[in-house]
């Protein structure tokens, strides 16, 4: 299309002013973020229903997560949000070197987040805490397999240490092959209110450990989907980096950096909800 | 303006249909009009496919026993009918076909806010459809279009490709909605305040809000369903520690608003057509506009009425029932305003108007029977019977499909610059209307007598009504075939259409038919979209033109 002389190259032909294009882009991005919030909203709803019905499962499950690694990742993401905000500022001021530096820093922090996640996931995988039908916990780690035979044993107080410190409790063998078809549901220890005396702490803890696979289902789906969003954000940041290196942005046109920043902050905010909901349970 | 358009002063500008030839100029186009046509072709192909499945289902039900297929195939056929019609046809139907084409024109804009996103939305539609088609080839789904758990995680049919397809189609729908919201907010011309917008835009805006807010929830639900099926995570399947009613809540949190995604744009079409063919200003503009927003708002609060018999608490049932009844208020506001628009109007019974009158009649029946289903006592009797099937088709077929057909006949001259043969257009509308009632009215009676939905065989006493319904279905299909041939014939053999053949005052009729690439050669005049008095009939072009400019050009 031929552009009118007063039509800058970055202004699409169907917009009349750069301001109109800027506002449209911002509104579009916010609406997209709304859809993202609703996408995760379904997961948070799933979490809320299950946590309300079976709190003991979450109490038992969160013990296998490493609070310090989760906390480290929270700090990493918050710092990356700061560098992203500084990148937007640098783009607005037209400081290309600062823009490139802050985008690179944000990208590195994102890599760092995924690296820590890799360490956490590989621990889980080694301990057989994968969700669904891949849930094959090593007995000394969980104190309960899928078969409800394990006698009550004190839950591990500390997050699983690399060394196999706990002596294996009696029982809790890996289920025989073919047992996967048997129902794995252990009735909620809470039970219908008013029908039975409330269970003792020990009974609740025992029930929680038996259904702990539900927790890891939630843990892996929620952190997994969040991880995919981190990767998508990294692709966006890399794209912004290469555009910025070609000098695509200027004080009169920095909308894509701003939009990428908004997306990155959303990824950050979702983690800030995930961290306490999964790691910090009492 | 670009040099192409200004080449020959006074001559007809090159239309968007002439800008570029070959398949690549279409499938990679950023022009909202061409994307509308792409959607038109793909959505209509889906309609034919879904209609074929429906005819197979109806044929099977001709006799109480096996007629043409076994029970498993029957289950697959009604599932495919539902899934294809809902996800591939009605949801994208009016917004993506009519909305894409007309919305920027009605705003006097050159395009939607994000043309690339618009094209991406069509590509996602194609990819999603391919997934759905793949599932038909691999092992057609037999769960019903609702994919209820735990059956959908146990059946051996291809649930994953079908739900993956629905997930992708959901994104296509979200992108269309997002685009429309931003376009309406940011590309309205100077002088067009919110309350001077054509009512179709209000309806599309309300639709887009639902698309953006509800569809992601369906997306995550289907992802969870796939995760449960593939990995075995306990989410919805009680055998794995999951909760099947949670699935129903998630599913209907989207799928109830989704029926308003289908009906709201249809109501917008009615508001446009009814005023033009009553030759009268729309009655109660702000109430019709506001009721669109009210319906969008209420649509999020009534999903529980799909679970009246699924073990919801009586308190929740009561609240959902009351909220369901309240949807009747904005719906009735619209219907009464349309009737008041027609009252003492100079009604012109052309093809679009016939389809739209069919809409009002059928949607009236569909809406009123919805109240039966919202009532907690009645629904126990008719739940999961043909009464529900019939109610659903009166609202979703009698509503959006009639309106889509009316819209196609109304905007066809603008799409392709050609007029269809009025006689055959009218015949198709009448045949479909009669066929529709013969098909679906007996189903109300069947339902009240206890015929459950989705059953393969039935007691012999239901046979006569089933036969009547099936014959009605065949008659109905003939009506659609006539309509399709009339429309396709118009493209190749139709008389050239005037810029404003029906005398409408919205802005899309101020440009030539079909419009040039950038929609308007000179900036359109922004005025009252329903001020029909300012238009006079011009015999030379067989169209209308503004009275004020008489003799000026």
């Amino acid at each position: 299309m031929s552009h009118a002389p007063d039509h800058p190259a970055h202004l699409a032909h169907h917009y009349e002013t750069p301001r109109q294009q800027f506002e449209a882009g911002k509104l579009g991005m916010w609406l997209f973020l709304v859809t993202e919030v609703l996408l995760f909203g379904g997961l948070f709803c799933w979490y809320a229903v299950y946590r309300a019905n079976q709190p003991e499962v979450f109490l038992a499950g969160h013990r296998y997560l490493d609070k310090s690694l989760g906390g480290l990742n929270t700090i990493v993401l918050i710092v990356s949000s700061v560098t992203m905000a500084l990148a937007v500022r640098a783009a607005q001021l037209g400081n290309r070197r600062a823009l490139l530096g802050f985008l690179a820093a944000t990208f590195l922090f994102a890599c760092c987040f995924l690296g820590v996640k890799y360490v956490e996931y590989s621990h889980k995988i080694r301990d057989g805490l994968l969700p669904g039908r891949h849930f094959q916990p090593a007995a000394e780690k969980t104190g309960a397999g899928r078969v409800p035979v394990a006698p009550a044993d004190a839950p591990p107080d500390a997050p699983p240490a690399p060394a196999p410190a706990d002596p294996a409790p009696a029982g809790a063998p890996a289920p025989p092959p073919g047992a996967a078809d048997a129902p794995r549901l252990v009735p909620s220890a809470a039970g219908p209110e008013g029908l039975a005396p409330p269970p003792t702490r020990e009974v609740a803890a025992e029930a929680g450990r038996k259904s702990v696979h539900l927790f890891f289902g939630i843990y892996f789906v929620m952190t997994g989907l969040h991880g995919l969003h981190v990767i998508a954000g990294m692709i966006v940041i890399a794209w912004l980096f290469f555009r910025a290196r070609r000098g695509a942005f200027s004080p009169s046109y920095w909308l894509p950096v701003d939009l990428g920043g908004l997306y990155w902050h959303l990824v950050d905010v979702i983690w800030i909800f995930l961290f306490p909901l999964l790691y910090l349970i009492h | 303006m670009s040099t192409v358009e200004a080449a020959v002063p006074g001559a007809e500008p090159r239309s968007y249909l002439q800008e570029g030839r070959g398949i690549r100029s279409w499938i990679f186009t950023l022009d909202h009009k061409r994307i509308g046509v792409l959607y038109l072709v793909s959505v209509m192909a889906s309609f034919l496919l879904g209609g074929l499945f429906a005819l197979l289902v109806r044929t099977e039900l001709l006799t109480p026993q096996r007629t043409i297929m076994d029970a498993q195939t029957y289950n697959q056929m009604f599932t495919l009918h539902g899934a294809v019609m809902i996800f591939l046809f009605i949801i994208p139907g009016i917004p993506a076909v009519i909305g894409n084409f007309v919305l920027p024109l009605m705003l006097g804009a050159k395009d939607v806010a994000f043309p690339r996103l618009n094209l991406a939305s069509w590509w996602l539609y194609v990819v999603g459809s391919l997934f759905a088609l793949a599932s038909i080839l691999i092992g057609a789904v037999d769960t019903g279009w609702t994919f209820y758990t735990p059956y959908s995680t146990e059946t051996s049919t291809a649930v994953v490709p079908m739900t993956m397809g629905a997930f992708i189609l959901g994104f296509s729908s979200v992108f269309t909605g997002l685009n429309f919201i931003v376009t309406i907010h940011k590309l309205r011309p100077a002088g067009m305040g919110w309350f001077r917008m054509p009512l179709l835009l209000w309806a599309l805006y309300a639709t887009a809000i639902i698309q953006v807010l509800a569809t992601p929830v369906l997306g995550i639900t289907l992802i969870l369903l796939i995760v449960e099926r593939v990995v075995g995570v306990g989410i919805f399947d009680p055998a794995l520690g999951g909760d099947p009613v949670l699935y129903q809540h998630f599913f209907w949190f989207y799928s109830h608003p989704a029926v308003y995604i289908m009906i709201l744009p249809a109501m917008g079409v009615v508001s446009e057509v009814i005023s033009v063919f009553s030759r009268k200003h729309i009655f109660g503009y702000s109430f019709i506009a506001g009721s669109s927003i009210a319906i969008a708002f209420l649509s999020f609060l009534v999903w529980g009425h799909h679970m009246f018999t699924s073990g919801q608490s009586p308190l929740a049932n009561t609240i959902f029932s009351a909220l369901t009844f309240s949807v009747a208020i904005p719906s009735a506001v619209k219907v009464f305003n349309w009737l008041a628009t027609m009252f003492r109007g100079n009604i012109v019974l052309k093809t679009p108007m016939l389809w739209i009158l069919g809409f009002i009649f059928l949607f009236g029946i569909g809406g009123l029977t919805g109240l039966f289903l919202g009532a907690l006592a009645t629904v126990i009797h008719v739940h999961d019977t043909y009464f529900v099937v019939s109610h659903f088709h009166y609202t979703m077929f009698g509503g959006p499909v009639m309106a889509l057909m009316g819209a196609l006949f109304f905007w066809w001259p603008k799409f392709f610059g050609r007029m269809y043969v009025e006689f055959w257009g009218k015949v198709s509308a009448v045949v479909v209307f009669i066929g529709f009632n013969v098909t679906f009215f007996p189903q109300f009676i069947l339902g009240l007598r206890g015929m459950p939905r989705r059953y393969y065989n039935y007691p012999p006493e239901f046979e006569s009504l089933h036969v009547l319904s099936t014959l009605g279905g065949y008659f109905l299909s003939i009506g659609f075939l006539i309509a399709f041939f009339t429309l396709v014939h118009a493209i190749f053999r139709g008389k050239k259409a005037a810029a404003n053949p029906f005398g409408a005052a919205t802005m899309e009729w101020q440009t030539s038919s079909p419009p040039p690439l950038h929609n308007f050669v000179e900036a359109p005049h922004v005025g009252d979209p329903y001020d029909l008095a300012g238009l006079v009939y011009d015999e030379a072009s067989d169209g209308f033109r503004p009275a004020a400019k008489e003799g000026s050009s």
Side-chain angles (χ1 to χ4, degrees):
Chain A
M1 289 313 110
S2 58
H3 281 285
D6 60 336
H7 224 73
H10 56 74
L11 182 59
H13 77 95
H14 57 292
Y15 291 111
E16 277 168 18
T17 60
R19 186 178 175 77
Q20 190 185 30
Q21 172 166 300
F22 178 81
E23 288 180 353
K26 285 281 259 205
L27 180 60
M29 193 64 198
W30 278 107
L31 284 169
F32 178 70
L33 296 187
V34 167
T35 69
E36 290 280 17
V37 168
L38 281 153
L39 189 78
F40 277 92
L43 294 181
F44 284 114
C45 199
W46 173 32
Y47 176 97
V49 169
Y50 275 51
R51 176 132 185 221
N53 285 343
Q54 290 157 288
E56 65 282 355
V57 169
F58 291 79
L59 207 54
H62 92 283
R63 291 181 207 283
Y64 304 109
L65 303 185
D66 190 332
K67 283 190 191 64
S68 45
L69 285 182
L72 173 66
N73 253 353
T74 310
I75 293 167
V76 165
L77 268 195
I78 290 176
V79 174
S80 79
S81 254
V82 174
T83 54
M84 190 70 219
L86 289 170
V88 175
R89 186 68 191 144
Q92 288 170 345
L93 296 175
N95 186 342
R96 197 204 300 189
R97 280 189 59 185
L99 171 61
L100 289 173
F102 285 125
L103 284 175
T106 313
F107 190 86
L108 287 179
F109 281 122
C111 290
C112 183
F113 177 88
L114 287 183
V116 173
K117 222 58 253 134
Y118 170 76
V119 172
E120 283 192 279
Y121 274 12
S122 51
H123 273 263
K124 305 283 175 302
I125 292 167
R126 207 169 48 222
D127 295 349
L129 297 176
L130 281 168
R133 60 179 72 97
H134 305 290
F135 186 73
Q136 305 278 357
E140 70 272 18
K141 293 294 175 192
T142 65
R146 283 187 290 178
V147 228
V149 289
D153 194 65
D157 292 323
D166 295 25
D181 296 314
R184 273 184 269 155
L185 173 65
V186 179
S188 161
E193 268 177 55
L195 292 181
T200 60
R201 282 179 71 113
E202 289 73 30
V203 172
E206 174 63 17
R209 269 180 292 133
K210 282 173 186 161
S211 298
V212 82
H213 66 277
L214 292 175
F215 177 83
F216 286 102
I218 288 179
Y219 169 80
F220 274 104
V221 173
M222 290 184 99
T223 57
L225 189 65
H226 177 261
L228 289 179
H229 279 76
V230 171
I231 293 170
M234 288 167 72
I235 294 171
V236 170
I237 292 167
W239 175 72
L240 289 173
F241 182 86
F242 288 111
R243 280 195 74 183
R245 218 172 51 167
R246 288 204 313 265
F249 306 120
S250 65
S252 60
Y253 181 66
W254 39 270
L255 175 66
V257 186
D258 203 17
L259 300 185
L262 281 174
Y263 179 77
W264 188 251
H265 296 320
L266 178 91
V267 172
D268 186 18
V269 164
I270 288 172
W271 177 258
I272 288 180
F273 280 92
L274 286 180
F275 174 59
L277 286 178
L278 294 170
Y279 289 75
L280 308 177
I281 295 173
H282 286 292
Chain B
M1 289 300 121
S2 82
T3 48
V4 180
E5 286 158 23
V8 192
E12 280 268 293
R14 250 151 65 114
S15 84
Y16 78 99
L17 294 168
Q18 295 161 318
E19 297 279 349
R21 291 198 171 272
I23 185 91
R24 292 173 60 88
S25 77
W26 280 90
I27 61 173
F28 298 119
T29 182
L30 296 179
D31 178 11
H32 70 98
K33 299 180 288 300
R34 286 197 165 197
I35 293 172
V37 174
L38 290 176
Y39 261 117
L40 173 72
V41 173
S42 32
V43 161
M44 282 299 145
S46 307
F47 183 39
L48 286 177
L49 189 64
L52 187 70
F53 291 134
L55 286 179
L56 290 172
V57 167
R58 278 312 325 162
T59 306
E60 170 53 41
L61 291 166
L62 263 176
T63 65
Q65 328 77 30
R66 180 195 163 106
T67 314
I68 53 164
M69 59 179 89
D70 59 24
Q72 172 66 16
T73 316
Y74 173 78
N75 289 347
Q76 294 173 326
M77 285 304 124
F78 74 67
T79 302
L80 293 174
H81 165 63
V84 168
M85 284 297 197
I86 300 259
F87 294 115
L88 292 173
F89 171 56
I90 313 186
I91 287 180
I94 297 182
V97 178
I98 305 295
N100 251 326
F101 190 90
V102 172
L103 180 138
L105 288 168
M106 279 187 159
L107 292 171
K110 288 183 190 166
D111 210 319
V112 292
F114 308 118
R116 281 199 204 91
L117 192 68
N118 205 13
L119 181 64
S121 137
W122 181 74
W123 273 106
L124 283 175
Y125 175 89
V126 171
V127 173
S129 314
L130 290 179
F131 268 92
L133 288 176
S135 88
I136 296 174
L137 298 178
I138 297 169
V141 187
D142 63 347
T143 59
W145 74 275
T146 49
F147 311 121
Y148 265 21
T149 54
Y151 184 64
S152 56
T153 52
E154 289 164 2
T155 172
S156 61
T157 54
V159 172
V160 171
M162 182 56 107
T163 45
M164 206 55 218
F167 174 78
I168 296 168
L169 290 166
F171 269 90
S172 160
S173 176
V174 165
F175 288 159
T176 303
L178 192 154
N179 225 331
F180 285 2
I181 294 180
V182 177
T183 309
I184 290 175
H185 268 280
K186 297 299 174 196
L187 292 179
R188 262 178 303 125
M192 188 192 274
W194 281 89
F195 284 88
R196 298 196 83 176
M197 288 198 311
L199 286 163
L200 178 62
L201 298 191
W202 275 98
L204 286 172
Y205 186 81
T207 309
I209 298 254
I210 306 177
Q211 285 176 308
V212 167
L213 292 184
T215 316
V217 180
L218 177 76
I220 196 67
T221 309
L222 295 176
I223 289 288
L224 290 178
L225 179 62
I226 292 170
V227 166
E228 178 167 74
R229 209 181 140 88
V230 175
V231 193
V233 176
I235 305 169
F236 303 127
D237 184 352
L240 302 172
D243 183 350
V245 181
L246 183 67
Y247 176 82
Q248 297 186 17
H249 278 283
F250 276 173
F251 183 81
W252 290 112
F253 183 82
Y254 164 75
S255 293
H256 196 77
V259 304
Y260 298 97
I261 293 177
M262 307 179 212
I263 195 73
L264 272 170
M267 291 168 154
V269 169
V270 175
S271 303
E272 299 300 327
V273 172
I274 206 117
S275 160
V276 171
F277 291 96
S278 302
R279 305 307 308 150
K280 200 166 151 244
H281 196 283
I282 192 85
F283 184 89
Y285 173 94
S286 48
F287 277 87
I288 296 182
S291 64
S292 288
I293 304 300
I295 289 175
F297 175 71
L298 288 171
S299 75
F300 284 99
L301 306 176
V302 299
W303 81 90
H305 70 214
H306 294 272
M307 281 156 285
F308 281 158
T309 60
S310 300
Q312 244 175 182
S313 74
L315 176 68
N317 276 354
T318 313
I319 293 170
F320 278 123
S321 175
L323 287 166
T324 302
F325 284 129
S326 66
V327 179
I329 298 168
S331 310
V333 163
K334 282 186 190 288
V335 172
F336 289 129
N337 277 305
W338 295 329
L339 297 184
T341 304
M342 287 166 64
F343 181 63
R344 294 202 172 160
N346 186 5
I347 294 173
V348 187
L349 282 181
K350 286 199 172 176
T351 310
M353 186 64 166
L354 286 182
W355 288 98
I356 293 311
L357 290 178
F359 171 102
I360 296 178
F361 186 86
L362 300 177
F363 181 73
I365 294 176
L368 290 172
T369 50
L371 297 178
F372 296 26
L373 292 167
L376 288 174
T378 332
V379 76
I380 302 294
H381 180 62
V382 292
H383 174 76
D384 261 1
T385 67
Y386 268 49
F387 192 88
V388 177
V389 177
S390 189
H391 156 75
F392 183 81
H393 283 86
Y394 265 89
T395 47
M396 290 296 108
F397 182 164
V401 183
M402 299 295 280
L404 175 63
M405 296 307 294
L408 286 180
F409 278 99
F410 185 57
W411 279 292
W412 205 254
K414 192 55 69 182
F415 263 95
F416 298 107
R418 301 283 167 175
M419 295 302 290
Y420 45 85
V421 179
E422 192 65 47
F423 173 76
W424 288 108
K426 285 183 187 170
V427 168
S428 69
V430 172
V431 170
V432 167
F433 180 78
I434 295 170
F436 179 90
N437 282 298
V438 176
T439 309
F440 291 105
F441 205 84
Q443 297 190 5
F444 278 130
I445 303 166
L446 280 170
L448 284 174
R449 290 192 187 161
M451 170 79 207
R453 68 194 283 204
R454 294 178 173 175
Y455 272 37
Y456 174 61
N457 287 340
Y458 52 84
E461 62 262 34
F462 291 145
E463 187 169 6
S464 53
L465 286 170
H466 268 299
V467 169
L468 187 60
S469 179
T470 301
L471 294 180
Y474 296 152
F475 194 59
L476 178 65
S477 325
I478 294 172
F480 277 113
L481 288 179
I482 297 173
F484 285 135
F485 282 121
T486 309
L487 290 173
V488 173
H489 173 265
I491 298 179
F492 297 105
R493 294 262 188 281
K495 195 159 64 79
K496 205 166 159 15
N500 191 358
F502 302 118
T506 41
M507 276 199 268
E508 77 272 27
W509 303 105
Q510 291 183 29
T511 185
S512 52
S513 303
L517 179 63
H518 287 202
N519 292 348
F520 296 94
V521 177
E522 38 188 290
H525 166 70
V526 183
D528 183 339
Y530 299 101
D531 179 21
L532 305 181
L535 297 161
V536 290
Y537 182 69
D538 173 37
E539 215 160 322
S541 65
D542 191 21
F544 288 74
R545 60 194 166 84
K549 281 190 180 172
E550 214 166 346
S552 70
S553 61

